[in-house]
Amino acid sequence: MKSLNSKLLENKNNKMSQIQEEIKRINNGLPQGVRLVAISKFHPAEAIEEAYEAGQRIFGESHVQELQQKVELLPKDIEWHFIGHLQTNKVKYIAPYIKLIHSVDSIKLLQEIDKQAKKVGRIIPILIQLHIAEEETKFGFTIEECRNLLTTQDWSEYPNVQISGLMCMATNTDNMEQVRREFRTVHEFFVEMKASCTNLTSFTELSMGMSHDYPIALEEGSTLIRVGSKIFGERDYSKG
Ligand SMILES: *Cc1c(COP(=O)(O)O)cnc(C)c1O
């Protein structure tokens, strides 16, 4: 009979290898030039380590304090992305290291990122978050606002941010045709902006697709998928 300890260890290894298998499976299925952002919010540092051991280097978090704690604990060559609503008074904490902020949803936030990036001598890559989903609670610019922003803004006013593309979330629905339509609309807009903002040479990333809809997002031209629960399991919010 196995000891309790070896059973626990076995369970742990089984669970962990699921994370690794999922990381490998998703990465193997990505078209060239598309990257996986493993969304690790509400999951412990150990789960991230498992994914790291499977070769994953890009992780996304949505809460500044949780991110700070994980950055302390985990390997230094991880690329941390920020994906949640970011309050301006918290930008300073992540400015020294954040690799990409997906969720810029106001000019005020853009200005603050520029200011804090300058202080630490960096140019921080960011994505403009579009509000495309039907839900009222989601943050972001409408397509009209974003077109206006991208085509009329004098980007030289923000030398310490690099506008790297767009991010969106589709409506949370089982209607996959609707999800596809939304992704397609955003991709068409992305192509339009790439063509018209020729001075924005960094405008190359389209962040769309989560656990339940990333295969559709890939078909519709995503370059960054943000997958959490499919890799790490359901989130335990009680520990957040
Ligand atoms: C939590 C989150 C994800 C990941 O969602 P899953 O359904 O767990 O894959 C992706 N994008 C954003 C903005 C999120 O907040």
Side-chain angles (χ1 to χ4, degrees), residues 8-24:
L8 285 176
L9 196 62
E10 203 172 74
N11 278 341
K12 183 168 179 248
N13 287 341
N14 283 343
K15 175 131 184 290
M16 290 313 182
S17 74
Q18 273 177 22
I19 291 177
Q20 302 196 325
E21 272 168 31
E22 208 47 47
I23 288 280
K24 287 186 174 147

Side-chain angles (χ1 to χ4, degrees), residues 19-80:
I19 291 177
Q20 302 196 325
E21 272 168 31
E22 208 47 47
I23 288 280
K24 287 186 174 147
R25 196 187 62 77
I26 295 172
N27 273 310
N28 285 341
L30 293 182
Q32 226 187 350
V34 179
R35 293 178 298 158
L36 165 66
V37 185
I39 304 300
S40 46
K41 63 188 186 196
F42 294 104
H43 292 286
E46 294 78 43
I48 300 176
E49 262 167 5
E50 278 301 315
Y52 181 91
E53 278 163 25
Q56 184 64 27
R57 290 294 178 272
I58 311 176
F59 293 89
E61 290 280 338
S62 59
H63 293 92
V64 169
Q65 201 185 356
E66 182 182 351
L67 173 56
Q68 295 286 93
Q69 287 167 356
K70 287 174 176 172
V71 169
E72 289 279 303
L73 291 170
L74 288 157
K76 297 302 165 216
D77 63 338
I78 287 180
E79 276 189 29
W80 294 103

Side-chain angles (χ1 to χ4, degrees), residues 37-43 60-63 82-85 102-103 129 138 167-169 207-214 225-235 237:
V37 185
I39 304 300
S40 46
K41 63 188 186 196
F42 294 104
H43 292 286
E61 290 280 338
S62 59
H63 293 92
F82 197 86
I83 59 157
H85 176 61
H102 290 231
S103 45
Q129 181 171 350
K138 296 221 167 125
M167 180 272 229
C168 76
M169 270 184 276
S207 167
M208 59 185 196
M210 303 165 47
S211 288
H212 69 289
D213 60 14
Y214 78 86
I225 57 170
R226 310 179 309 270
V227 181
S229 46
K230 185 127 187 123
I231 296 166
F232 295 109
E234 292 305 314
R235 288 178 282 274
Y237 292 103

